[in-house]
Amino acid sequence: MKNSHSGTIMARALSAWLVCAIIPAWGKEYFDPRLLSIDGQSVTTDLSAFENSGHIPAGNYLVTLYVNQIAKGDYALDFKPDAQGKIIPMITPALLDELGVNTSALPTLRTLPRDAPLDDLASVIPDAFFSLDFPQLRLDLSIPQIALKPSAAGYSDPSLWDQGVPAMVLNYSLSGGRNWQSLGNGSPDSTQDNLFLSLRSGANWENWRLRSQYIYTYNKGHSSGQPGLRTHTSDFSNTYLQTDIQPWRAELAIGETSTGNDVFDSIAFKGVRLNSNDQMLPINQRGFAPMISGIANTNARVTITQNGNVIYQTYVAPGAFRINDLHQTGLGGDLLLTITEADGSVRTQTIASSSLPVMLRPYVSRFEITAGRYDGGVTLHSREAPFVLGTLIYGLPHNFTLYGGTLVADDYLSAAGGIGLSMGSLGALSADVTAARARLDDNEGLRTGNSYRVRYAKNVITTGTSIDLAAYRYSTRDYYSFADFNNAGYELTPGQLPWTLARQRSSFQARINQQLNAWGALYLSHSRYDYWGNDEVNTNIAAGYSTSFHGINYGLAYSVSRVQRQDNSWPETRQIALTLQAPLDLFTGRASLRNSRATYQISRRNDGELQQQVGLSGSDGQGRLSWNVSHNRSNQDEKASSSNLNLGYQGSNGAANLGYSYSDSYRSLNLNGNGAVVVHPQGMTLSQSTGDSIAVVSAPGAAGTSVMNGGVTTDSRGYAVVPYLSNYQSNAISLNPSTLPDDVDLTQSTVNVYPTKGAVVLANFATRIGLQALLTLTYQGQPLPFGTSVAVEPSNHGEADRGIVGDAGQVYMNGLPESGTLRARWGTAEDQQCEAHFDFSEQRPEDQKGPIRSQSTTCYRIDDERHLSLRSSLHEVSLP
């Protein structure tokens, strides 16, 4: 029996061993908090929140939220344990709806309360999950695309749209120059001065926007022994009051502005306009201003006019230039580019500004209703005929769009109709016809004619081909546009080109870009106009090719434009130019020369003139300061060789450029400057030139902090202006924390704003101004336990005023006043907390180690009599 009992015990032991060997053991690492006690005293810290890797304590945290890697802004979210004890963010259906989730289409979300936190995100949205980067306070949500709203990529909730604050904005652009000419051969010396000032002003009140533009030009010529000829113009234009009507997805403008150009040619007028605003759509097609390119031989003045009004003027350095910051002005007609060289020669080029073919989604409409008086500016006077205009564009199924309209005035009537078609891989095409009937003051009765137009656009991604616009128009002999009708029989304003009043017979415009991958890129811009009643043909071509090889950039450009001669004729001139550009570090390997370049350009014109130019250019590491030095030489006249110097600066408060040219026959000095002044409820802030909508950054005390990509920094008060925002869309405004002053900290580094058209919105950043300190805390002669929570008393910033004790009782705190009180807790019992006082007011600067202060202080029990007497002797200190 004994042996049998012993065998039974052995069998059971063997079975238990086999079970333990077969079934995996479960357990977890455990750290005994008593090891952190002070000399065996029962002051251990509650470390349960830190037992698991990646575990965070429950609480409220300000996190930057991303949905499918797209930033959605900063949100203060509660983090609480779920049924399994895992700390998760409290995400509600209302928050998901704000982030673009199609909650109305998900059955599991429709039945839940809007503010009820979700315990399991994947149970209501299959395959959805979240991840938290706690050190960066970044919360990523991964949501399947099928669960998002159809337009979530560009959608913003209209309830978030911000009309902004009362404000005034003044954009200024100033350019001036002086030219000294000495032709010799007994010719008198002469001097020419010119000045151009453009002021674009605006005032905002609630949802109303008042806008106006002021243009001033001054020109003076003086010859030896002769009185100077002085001319100047001063004019206010484009003065209007505007507001948006959000339920109609429309805007109302009263004053001087222009009609749209989708159906009829754009018309400058004074009156009232009500039209659709596609910028309110989640996915929209914004208006555009064409990019303008050209070639300057010297430090040249570039002027752009539209409808006879100067809308842009600047000086450019010798060589190829591009203008891509042209302010959108309604696109009321083609643009005229005039290049005035330092030697006085003038070249012109017409830039087509027609819009793309009109295409809308099915059952989407776009409308315009305008009543006013014609206000064109190419003639000294005009009929200024009052008129009423209405247009409608409507999208149909199967990729069709219908559009049409009518214009009615005294002695003038016009009607237009057309169709647009999206042909998929073949591009988009539109065709329309406009019929007009006009009665002129020449006793020849009615003039009736038609104008036919075809437009085409195509973007082939696989081949890199982009046909931005190809348009052809033919008008019959008796067709008069509304501008022709108003200007007929009146004299051109001074400075207008002689063919301005000629009625077009046909026109062709094309803009094509071709990407060649590693072989570079090609571009072509071409326009051709002919006119009724004369044989004049106006042709403009700009074409080019650019590539790079072994770090050297190559460019070939060809242009055809009109050049003014001394006999006031404007013959065509053809010019071809080859440009080579190489960074200087390519030859020396020195990193300091990385932003410096050597340039060589050779150009030839059809009159046989050959010009060569060599130059050096560069900029500082931040791209704020730029410089350019060059020398030109011509084969036709040794005295025509010239040298040029240009300096430029781009800062947070504006930009400035200085240019100087010198030759044996002339000298030229010019200066450009532009920027803006913004007056808002919190003061006045200087800025770079601004766009339609802007944000005023408010970070009190954070002077010199970089905003966005570093192109803008805050001023001495902590304010800055972000100049270009997207209307009715989310704009993330961010500050770079690494550029903050030593005594300033942010509770958030990104703010999202949703401006309406023309709004000035505030981007408020909560700053904590105070000291950074490394405190060593002791309790009853020993360092405080590892993991002890330390908080400032009283707390002004919630979780931001807390720290956790590390080794040797040390805790890092920021945003501290010079003196104050800290409360430490390492458990829930009353004897597991204490208070300590700190005071840096008498610390000498030489005792500091960099921006971080250091101090050792003793922590006393809150009911300790010594502590109470010490506390009563200290004055109360609160955080700023």
Side-chain angles (χ1 to χ4, degrees):
M1 292 294 295
K2 184 177 181 180
N3 291 338
S4 176
H5 180 69
S6 300
T8 301
I9 294 175
M10 293 181 63
R12 290 177 177 176
L14 181 60
S15 299
W17 179 84
L18 288 174
V19 170
C20 293
I22 295 173
I23 299 177
W26 179 88
K28 66 176 182 178
E29 296 182 357
Y30 174 73
F31 179 82
D32 191 348
R34 289 175 295 179
L35 296 176
L36 299 175
S37 62
I38 303 175
D39 287 347
Q41 300 180 33
S42 181
V43 291
T44 57
T45 308
D46 182 8
L47 298 177
S48 58
F50 304 98
E51 287 180 354
N52 299 321
S53 175
H55 186 82
I56 63 171
N60 183 275
Y61 299 97
L62 184 70
V63 297
T64 303
L65 207 154
Y66 288 75
V67 175
N68 298 342
Q69 303 299 315
I70 298 176
K72 295 295 184 178
D74 291 340
Y75 290 81
L77 299 181
D78 290 325
F79 285 74
K80 297 180 180 179
D82 60 7
Q84 290 74 37
K86 180 182 178 181
I87 302 297
I88 63 172
M90 297 293 99
I91 299 175
T92 64
L95 176 61
L96 291 175
D97 184 74
E98 180 182 343
L99 297 175
V101 176
N102 196 356
T103 55
S104 61
L106 298 172
T108 52
L109 285 177
R110 286 202 305 263
T111 59
L112 294 176
R114 295 275 295 172
D115 297 327
L118 305 176
D119 290 334
D120 185 3
L121 185 62
S123 65
V124 294
I125 306 178
D127 300 322
F129 63 90
F130 74 88
S131 62
L132 175 66
D133 184 346
F134 188 66
Q136 301 295 328
L137 288 178
R138 168 172 171 163
L139 178 63
D140 279 270
L141 296 183
S142 177
I143 308 293
Q145 188 68 28
I146 195 174
L148 296 176
K149 296 175 182 177
S151 57
Y155 174 80
S156 62
D157 189 345
S159 64
L160 300 175
W161 293 350
D162 189 354
Q163 296 288 0
V165 298
M168 291 186 292
V169 181
L170 177 66
N171 281 272
Y172 61 88
S173 176
L174 176 67
S175 64
R178 167 165 286 191
N179 184 280
W180 299 267
Q181 287 193 342
S182 177
L183 301 178
N185 298 325
S187 300
D189 295 344
S190 63
T191 303
Q192 294 84 35
D193 296 331
N194 65 84
L195 180 68
F196 172 82
L197 173 64
S198 171
L199 300 177
R200 290 189 294 114
S201 58
N204 291 4
W205 178 260
E206 295 183 348
N207 63 326
W208 290 94
R209 317 281 184 248
L210 178 63
R211 298 290 185 265
S212 183
Q213 184 170 18
Y214 173 77
I215 299 292
Y216 175 79
T217 62
Y218 173 86
N219 295 278
K220 178 183 178 182
H222 176 76
S223 298
S224 300
Q226 297 181 3
L229 178 62
R230 180 184 306 175
T231 62
H232 65 89
T233 60
S234 178
D235 182 45
F236 282 93
S237 61
N238 295 325
T239 301
Y240 60 91
L241 187 65
Q242 179 179 295
T243 186
D244 57 5
I245 305 176
Q246 296 180 11
W248 295 357
R249 190 172 53 81
E251 63 186 26
L252 175 69
I254 306 172
E256 299 174 323
T257 182
S258 299
T259 65
N261 63 344
D262 291 324
V263 179
F264 294 104
D265 292 336
S266 185
I267 302 169
F269 72 95
K270 294 179 181 178
V272 181
R273 175 185 176 186
L274 177 67
N275 64 283
S276 303
N277 185 351
D278 290 345
Q279 293 179 337
M280 297 184 189
L281 292 173
I283 299 177
N284 52 75
Q285 181 180 348
R286 305 266 175 149
F288 74 98
M291 183 180 68
I292 297 174
S293 59
I295 303 171
N297 299 322
T298 62
N299 280 327
R301 185 172 81 248
V302 175
T303 305
I304 299 173
T305 59
Q306 185 180 48
N307 285 332
N309 297 317
V310 178
I311 62 173
Y312 186 94
Q313 182 170 290
T314 189
Y315 282 89
V316 297
F321 64 87
R322 285 189 175 183
I323 297 173
N324 54 15
D325 61 343
L326 186 64
H327 178 67
Q328 188 174 335
T329 56
L331 299 180
D334 292 343
L335 304 177
L336 179 67
L337 170 67
T338 302
I339 303 173
T340 304
E341 301 287 355
D343 60 3
S345 61
V346 178
R347 287 177 288 129
T348 68
Q349 183 177 343
T350 301
I351 309 297
S353 61
S354 300
S355 63
L356 297 175
V358 179
M359 292 299 303
L360 293 180
R361 294 167 178 261
Y363 312 115
V364 175
S365 63
R366 184 187 302 162
F367 70 91
E368 177 184 350
I369 301 174
T370 299
R373 184 182 295 274
Y374 179 81
D375 191 36
V378 298
T379 55
L380 292 175
H381 303 282
S382 71
R383 294 176 184 270
E384 298 184 356
F387 70 96
V388 176
L389 176 146
T391 64
L392 177 65
I393 306 171
Y394 190 75
L396 296 173
H398 309 296
N399 299 323
F400 281 94
T401 298
L402 293 179
Y403 58 95
T406 184
L407 190 156
V408 180
D410 290 340
D411 297 325
Y412 186 86
L413 176 65
S414 179
I419 187 171
L421 172 64
S422 177
M423 301 180 293
S425 59
L426 298 179
L429 179 72
S430 68
D432 56 64
V433 58
T434 302
R437 185 178 64 182
R439 185 185 299 275
L440 303 179
D441 296 331
D442 55 8
N443 299 320
E444 292 189 15
L446 291 177
R447 305 292 182 88
T448 302
N450 298 326
S451 180
Y452 308 90
R453 179 176 59 172
V454 177
R455 292 179 291 179
Y456 176 78
K458 181 71 177 74
N459 190 354
V460 184
I461 299 178
T462 55
T463 63
T465 304
S466 172
I467 303 175
D468 295 330
L469 175 71
Y472 177 76
R473 164 171 276 182
Y474 175 80
S475 302
T476 61
R477 176 180 293 274
D478 289 329
Y479 172 80
Y480 281 75
S481 68
F482 194 54
D484 294 337
F485 168 73
N486 278 275
N487 297 328
Y490 292 91
E491 183 181 354
L492 280 172
T493 56
Q496 297 296 321
L497 297 175
W499 56 82
T500 303
L501 285 182
R503 291 190 300 112
Q504 290 184 14
R505 176 169 52 187
S506 66
S507 65
F508 174 77
Q509 306 159 16
R511 294 194 298 268
I512 303 174
N513 292 277
Q514 175 67 58
Q515 297 295 325
L516 302 175
N517 299 324
W519 295 98
L522 284 166
Y523 71 89
L524 170 65
S525 174
H526 172 64
S527 64
R528 182 187 184 277
Y529 305 87
D530 57 11
Y531 308 92
W532 287 107
N534 60 58
D535 297 329
E536 185 77 31
V537 177
N538 192 351
T539 301
N540 298 275
I541 296 176
Y545 169 74
S546 61
T547 187
S548 63
F549 184 71
H550 291 296
I552 301 177
N553 297 322
Y554 303 84
L556 184 64
Y558 176 77
S559 67
V560 176
S561 57
R562 309 293 288 268
V563 176
Q564 184 185 27
R565 291 183 175 175
Q566 293 182 354
D567 60 359
N568 204 31
S569 62
W570 293 83
E572 284 187 356
T573 180
R574 302 174 185 84
Q575 179 171 315
I576 186 170
L578 172 66
T579 303
L580 307 178
Q581 187 180 83
L584 296 185
D585 67 335
L586 184 67
F587 309 103
T588 64
R590 297 176 59 181
S592 60
L593 298 177
R594 184 171 303 166
N595 296 319
S596 299
R597 296 165 296 278
T599 304
Y600 173 75
Q601 177 178 291
I602 182 171
S603 63
R604 183 179 181 85
R605 296 198 320 196
N606 58 327
D607 60 2
E609 182 179 10
L610 180 69
Q611 286 195 349
Q612 299 182 72
Q613 179 189 115
V614 293
L616 294 174
S617 62
S619 62
D620 63 352
Q622 297 180 337
R624 292 183 177 272
L625 182 66
S626 60
W627 55 271
N628 178 289
V629 180
S630 64
H631 180 73
N632 291 3
R633 191 175 185 86
S634 172
N635 66 335
Q636 291 189 347
D637 186 356
E638 292 294 332
K639 293 184 178 182
S641 63
S642 63
S643 299
N644 307 280
L645 171 65
N646 291 271
L647 296 175
Y649 178 76
Q650 175 70 57
S652 297
N653 299 335
N657 295 276
L658 175 67
Y660 179 73
S661 294
Y662 174 82
S663 75
D664 291 339
S665 59
Y666 70 87
R667 289 175 294 140
S668 175
L669 178 67
N670 60 75
L671 176 68
N672 298 321
N674 61 76
V677 180
V678 181
V679 180
H680 49 90
Q682 299 179 8
M684 183 181 73
T685 305
L686 300 179
S687 166
Q688 301 173 357
S689 294
T690 66
D692 194 9
S693 303
I694 64 176
V696 176
V697 173
S698 172
T705 302
S706 295
V707 184
M708 307 293 281
N709 58 3
V712 175
T713 57
T714 56
D715 59 18
S716 60
R717 300 189 304 128
Y719 289 83
V721 174
V722 180
Y724 296 96
L725 300 181
S726 297
N727 298 332
Y728 306 99
Q729 301 295 309
S730 173
N731 297 262
I733 311 297
S734 59
L735 300 182
N736 185 353
S738 65
T739 60
L740 288 169
D742 293 336
D743 61 345
V744 178
D745 190 26
L746 295 174
T747 60
Q748 61 186 115
S749 61
T750 303
V751 172
N752 278 5
V753 294
Y754 301 80
T756 58
K757 185 176 181 179
V760 177
V761 297
L762 290 181
N764 292 313
F765 290 84
T767 55
R768 293 189 301 150
I769 303 175
L771 305 177
Q772 303 178 62
L774 185 64
L775 299 165
T776 301
L777 304 178
T778 59
Y779 177 73
Q780 296 182 355
Q782 298 294 327
L784 282 185
F786 176 88
T788 297
S789 175
V790 181
V792 177
E793 293 289 338
S795 174
N796 286 350
H797 301 286
E799 297 291 335
D801 286 331
R802 300 181 181 274
I804 297 177
V805 173
D807 295 333
Q810 291 185 329
V811 58
Y812 170 78
M813 307 285 288
N814 60 4
L816 295 178
E818 286 194 340
S819 61
T821 302
L822 300 175
R823 174 168 290 192
R825 294 181 176 87
W826 56 90
T828 57
E830 291 185 2
D831 61 349
Q832 292 180 312
Q833 52 184 315
C834 64
E835 283 191 354
H837 300 280
F838 61 91
D839 190 350
F840 298 101
S841 60
E842 298 182 359
Q843 192 174 75
R844 296 176 301 177
E846 56 268 22
D847 296 333
Q848 302 176 18
K849 297 181 179 179
I852 300 179
R853 310 288 184 93
S854 61
Q855 191 175 95
S856 298
T857 185
T858 302
C859 198
Y860 296 97
R861 286 183 57 177
I862 297 178
D863 59 352
D864 195 308
E865 292 183 359
R866 292 175 301 170
H867 165 70
L868 294 176
S869 62
L870 177 61
R871 185 175 186 179
S872 63
S873 65
L874 291 174
H875 61 278
E876 291 294 330
V877 178
S878 61
L879 284 174

